[in-house]
Amino acid sequence: MVTPTRVLPCPPETETSNRVLRQFHQHLDRFTRVQFTDENGQKFYMGDCIKKTHENDPNVGPLARFKSALRNGVMVCGRLYSFLGYSDGMAREGQAWFFAESEDLTVNAIRQWMGDFSKEKIIAKHAARIGLCFSSTKLVGDVEIEVIDDIKHGKYVYTDGIGLISEELAKRCAEIMGMPDTVPSAVQVRFAGFKGMLTVSSSITGNKVLARPSMRKFEATHVSMGLCTVSSYSRGFLSRQSVLLLEALGVHRSNFRALFDEQMERAKSLTSNDPRYSHEAFKKLGSRRAKKMTTFPISLLMDHGFQHETLLVNVLQVLGCRLLHDLKYRARLEVKDAAYLLGIADETGTLAEGEIYCAIQDPDGESKERHVVTGPCTIFRSPALHPGDVRRVSAVDVPELAHLVNVIVFSTREGSRDLPSMLGGGDLDGDTFTLIWDQRFVVPEGRNYKAMDYSAPSSEKVSNVTIEQVQDFFIDYMKYDELGRISTAHMAAADMEGPTCARAVELAHLASRAADFAKTGVPATCPEWMENQLYPDFMERSPKVSYASSKILGELYRLIDPAPVLDPLTTMHSDPRFSSLPRPRDTYFRQAGALKRQYDIELGGIMRRYGMTEAEIVGGMGVVPAEKRKRREKDDNMRGPVKEAFDELVRTFQQEAWRWCDDHPIPLQDPRESFAIAAYLCTNEERHRKQYVEHSFEDDQVSVSSFGGGDDYAIEQGEIIETQLLSFPYLFVRELIEAVKGIPI
């Protein structure tokens, strides 16, 4: 991290691969992600004073320091890391890739390999094109590319960002994503200088793909395809923005209230310390949503009599608290008859204007059968600010499209305008859309609002874009990115005067321009007169400038009061079934205690680094305290690194434990079960914890640092560590369950 006064090296983190890292894998240790932050590690706050200082003298102030790092590089541990590039998403977070040049590889050489960007004369778009090479992808392999025409009607491209792929290649993509028994209907990819989606077509075979001109972003010679994602089913949710617009378009507020009440009670039951209530509430949550929220084996433990475990109760508390937070502060309402799916084009030309096709198949639903949605629906794409961003459409059953599932198919027939572009300026290069066929939340007939014009503003072009200009734009983006400010002003105006009022509509236009700033280079400025002097209570401003909102969002916000607070259980629980099992050998206790001690040190480091409790890390989600709620994006962005760090920790200690067990077999016993039992008792029973964990280990038979990087992770004499962490034995959950099978609970 580069702050206004310091350069702070951070511990290594697992990064999802991209085409650049794969190509130069022999130099992986020379790549680093640099984030420009405030002194507290948060996103840098660009106040008016800092802007004016930089405008008066560009060589003074925090922005001058950031610019110097971009120009001259960052020195870390004796290596000079030079600026390489950044993606759109990285620019929004103030991040960029840097590379420590060697004698045989420079940043210029890497950029030359990436592609020919010289045809792009708009500085911002030029930077965005470079950034496409940093998209997180998984390697598929080389493909044969054929370019076919786009489907256009007037000035609108109805196949913007989408091509075709063979079933064989799509199946290989699914296997790479861990879905071996699936042939997805579409995949999102990057290859050569192309980006976008590919729809499965039976007319193509082998490694061939049909790309369209709208997918080509730059020229490149490498033809290796990287996979972003494959089409799959996800439940649909409402949000504050969509609730606000749907209410304005005629959906009755009682429908939102009924759905909110149901989900609020379920979430509150999860926070109960009584396993009877929390177990039932968890089952009602549904396995698919639970899996998306947490990978901790809650169902497995509950089904085998571990429902009283302290850690399990605390993870359920985290889950319930997070759901309550999402309801209160985001109005995140799950709609059963809704789906969140990738959009693709109707290659057959069958669908009429205003029609869509959607067949869903939920692999974790009550019915595994394929279901074709028919009738009136609501469709939108997030973010949705303009009243025309949420629309009523007609879903129809079309036999010609029966091979497509878990995608939304949009018409390509000539009409006034393609539907995706009406939905927040969307296209088909990987955009996801929410489709709702629950009739309570369908926009009433005749209430579709005129869609907004999302045409990009004209951008300044230069004769030849230099890397210095790209660096300067990175600073300009930090200076002039006002999307958050504009969105806040829009929410306040829409609540006070309604989302169709002139001020809210103009703010929606400004928000669209601000969202595209990273590509167009044209900033959006929010005039002071457009900002509210008063704010609805659900926006949580100072009481002096707040009022009780009369809209449904205000009503829902006030239903959860007081605000949910995480209150973890502190009493220890030890399952009596383990005391009836044969006692593991002493060497197993000693090794389990040593590994637990080291595991707790490593996990404690993750907890301190991200400011999270053990239950939050194990559960895979954070609960943001009240004082940090306005920075909730930190929690959402942090989930990836936290999960990756914890997953790596789990893998390391599981492998070390099994390796040790293989070297220390027990006649007529399963050594892994014995180790799991010892790990459980060392964690949950005080006498075992004191004997085998809370003392120094000097026995040569005990390995405590062979897996952690040698002396860098060794336990120092007299070091005080937390030994009440509870998650270590659950690294071996299947062995624990196997050990107590058949023993009465």
Side-chain angles (χ1 to χ4, degrees), residues 483-518:
L483 180 58
R485 182 179 177 183
I486 294 169
S487 298
T488 297
H490 175 272
M491 180 64 74
D495 183 83
M496 181 174 283
E497 304 170 41
T500 60
C501 75
R503 188 158 64 100
V505 169
E506 180 59 28
L507 284 165
H509 278 274
L510 288 175
S512 171
R513 177 176 288 191
D516 289 338
F517 177 30

Side-chain angles (χ1 to χ4, degrees), residues 179 186 229-234 288 292 340-342 405-407:
M179 304 160 63
T229 188
V230 300
S231 57
S232 62
Y233 172 82
S234 291
R288 186 173 184 85
K292 280 188 173 292
Y340 179 68
L341 305 169
L342 289 161
V405 65
N406 290 337
V407 289

